Amino acid sequence: MSAVPAAPENPVPLPPATGAWREGDPPGRRRWYVAEKPLPLEAGGELPGARLAFETWGRLAPDRSNAVLVLHALTGDSHVSGPAGPGHPTPGWWDALVGPGRALDTDRWFVVAPNVLGGCQGSTGPSARRPGAGRAWGGAFPFLTQRDQVAAEAGLADALGIDRWALVVGGSMGGMRAVEWAVSHPGRTGALLLLATTAAASAEQIAWAGIQLHAVRSDPHWQGGDYHDTGRGPLAGLGLARRLAHVTYRSEPELQVRFGRLPQDSEDPWRGGRYRVESYLDHHATKLVRRFDAASYVVLTEAMNAHDVGRERGGIRSALARVTAPTLVAGVDSDRLYPLAQQAELAARIPSADRLRVVESPYGHDGFLIETGQVGALVRELLG
């Protein structure tokens, strides 16, 4: 019997505990907003010393009327546009949309992208130092909701002198925050673009997310979330969560066409080797643990599970009736995680929304990130 080829080793060492940006790392293009007062939290208590990392492109007009807010998804960050480099482990995640002559033309628009509160790329989250403690927040970091995150972003807008956004745009988790912006601050939301998102997390979405949370917390290095300064983090658990999530982000036909039942290179799946689709998931797991933090993944996933724009507002219909901004809602035709019915509900119940738009893509939920031509056309339609 021939020997089984070993899987290739990672060419770049994995982080000892977390892939988060931490104090002392290169700042890159980041700037910071620091809240002057503790942030009251919807679940009770408050968060002291909250700060948001953010990036901007373009120039704010003298009348401050040209500001656009871009809100990222679960494992995104403030680096919407630009190359990878010191402080930025990956290129801009919507690079094709932001820049001179692009849909968000930075010769015309002032584009602002914050790293979400609870995140791990410069904003206050579990990997950040807790005020007065001398160590990371870790497992003591409080429970957050989308409304808390929007409240922090409203503080950023105030600090920048932006009374009203010309456009608020977000997809997936970013879309949850975008619809919260339009409901909580209708007078500050000039136009709204919601992509592959929902008015409230569904039972199935919570179920998939719950399995991912168990994967992280079951890692022996989770340590109740207090691992950041120990040198060992729950990287295996985070990688497993990412593998599961990534399957839900793509479509079954795409995976079949790309990978089928083929083995990975010379590996033999009958003798301990991998299929190509397994290697693909391994690759994405390795990429994520190098640039993300497991505790932030938990905090943000719990916030997504808590998302319900109708909570304490008389239900979804009543809440969405508050939206006054011209709105486009779009879904991806192959999205099995955030199906089109969820976007159809948003389009039907937002009084100022046009008909539901459909992004045609084989890439599933990730289509809102990949199909930049179709998304760019929607941006241009709203901004004129």
Side-chain angles (χ1 to χ4, degrees):
M1 184 180 299
S2 60
V4 179
E9 295 183 359
N10 292 320
V12 180
L14 294 178
T18 178
W21 184 95
R22 306 194 77 184
E23 292 292 343
D25 291 343
R29 295 190 75 258
R30 293 175 184 82
R31 298 162 57 191
W32 277 270
Y33 153 72
V34 181
E36 295 181 356
K37 299 179 180 179
L39 180 70
L41 301 178
E42 188 182 3
E46 58 187 21
L47 181 65
R51 71 175 192 166
L52 295 182
F54 68 98
E55 296 178 48
T56 67
W57 298 262
R59 180 175 296 180
L60 187 61
D63 63 0
R64 303 179 186 272
S65 64
N66 67 333
V68 172
L69 180 64
V70 177
L71 302 174
H72 66 76
L74 172 59
T75 60
D77 53 34
S78 64
H79 198 51
V80 174
S81 182
H88 301 296
T90 55
W93 51 269
W94 247 1
D95 198 59
L97 285 182
V98 178
R102 298 173 185 173
L104 288 173
D105 187 346
T106 50
D107 290 335
R108 178 184 178 190
W109 302 105
F110 178 64
V111 179
V112 180
N115 181 215
V116 67
L117 186 68
C120 64
Q121 287 297 320
S123 292
T124 297
S127 61
R129 295 291 174 188
R130 183 176 184 178
R135 55 184 175 83
W137 273 95
F141 194 79
F143 187 92
L144 295 180
T145 69
Q146 308 290 327
R147 294 181 197 177
D148 300 328
Q149 294 163 338
V150 168
E153 290 162 1
L156 168 63
D158 292 342
L160 294 174
I162 297 168
D163 295 326
R164 184 173 182 268
W165 299 103
L167 170 67
V168 177
V169 55
S172 192
M173 185 186 82
M176 293 177 177
R177 304 207 314 282
V179 74
E180 276 290 344
W181 257 100
V183 171
S184 298
H185 305 283
R188 303 189 73 171
T189 307
L192 181 66
L193 177 55
L194 303 176
L195 302 165
T197 195
T198 180
S202 70
E204 185 176 41
Q205 287 159 348
I206 293 170
W208 285 121
I211 298 170
Q212 295 168 51
L213 293 173
H214 278 293
V216 175
R217 289 172 169 148
S218 296
D219 189 303
H221 300 300
W222 169 244
Q223 302 177 68
D226 294 322
Y227 58 83
H228 293 90
D229 301 311
T230 68
R232 297 291 298 272
L235 304 187
L238 178 58
L240 183 58
R242 179 60 166 185
R243 289 174 176 88
L244 175 61
H246 201 77
V247 173
T248 71
Y249 296 159
R250 310 302 281 230
S251 75
E252 186 277 333
E254 185 222 356
L255 295 178
Q256 181 62 28
V257 168
R258 288 183 65 182
F259 305 111
R261 296 183 47 78
L262 294 173
Q264 174 64 17
D265 297 332
S266 59
E267 296 181 36
D268 185 351
W270 285 27
R271 290 171 173 79
R274 299 172 298 171
Y275 290 96
R276 283 189 183 178
V277 70
E278 293 176 295
S279 175
Y280 169 72
L281 296 177
D282 290 346
H283 169 71
H284 281 280
T286 300
K287 281 179 61 178
L288 185 74
V289 300
R290 287 178 181 152
R291 67 172 183 85
F292 214 76
D293 178 62
S296 272
Y297 197 93
V298 167
V299 166
L300 299 182
T301 298
E302 289 184 329
M304 293 175 71
N305 285 352
H307 172 60
D308 179 358
V309 75
R311 184 176 56 251
E312 304 298 327
R313 290 169 171 158
I316 289 173
R317 184 184 298 273
S318 176
L320 294 180
R322 301 184 184 189
V323 179
T324 58
T327 301
L328 290 181
V329 183
V332 182
D333 58 0
S334 58
D335 191 343
R336 54 183 171 179
L337 182 60
Y338 287 75
L340 285 173
Q342 293 184 327
Q343 292 88 60
E345 178 185 35
L346 286 165
R349 293 186 174 179
I350 293 175
S352 52
D354 200 354
R355 60 181 173 81
L356 174 66
R357 307 304 175 87
V358 178
V359 174
E360 297 179 355
S361 175
Y363 300 115
H365 185 59
D366 276 353
F368 83 91
L369 294 169
I370 297 170
E371 305 291 353
T372 52
Q374 295 179 66
V375 173
L378 298 173
V379 171
R380 288 188 171 96
E381 182 177 347
L382 273 172
L383 291 178

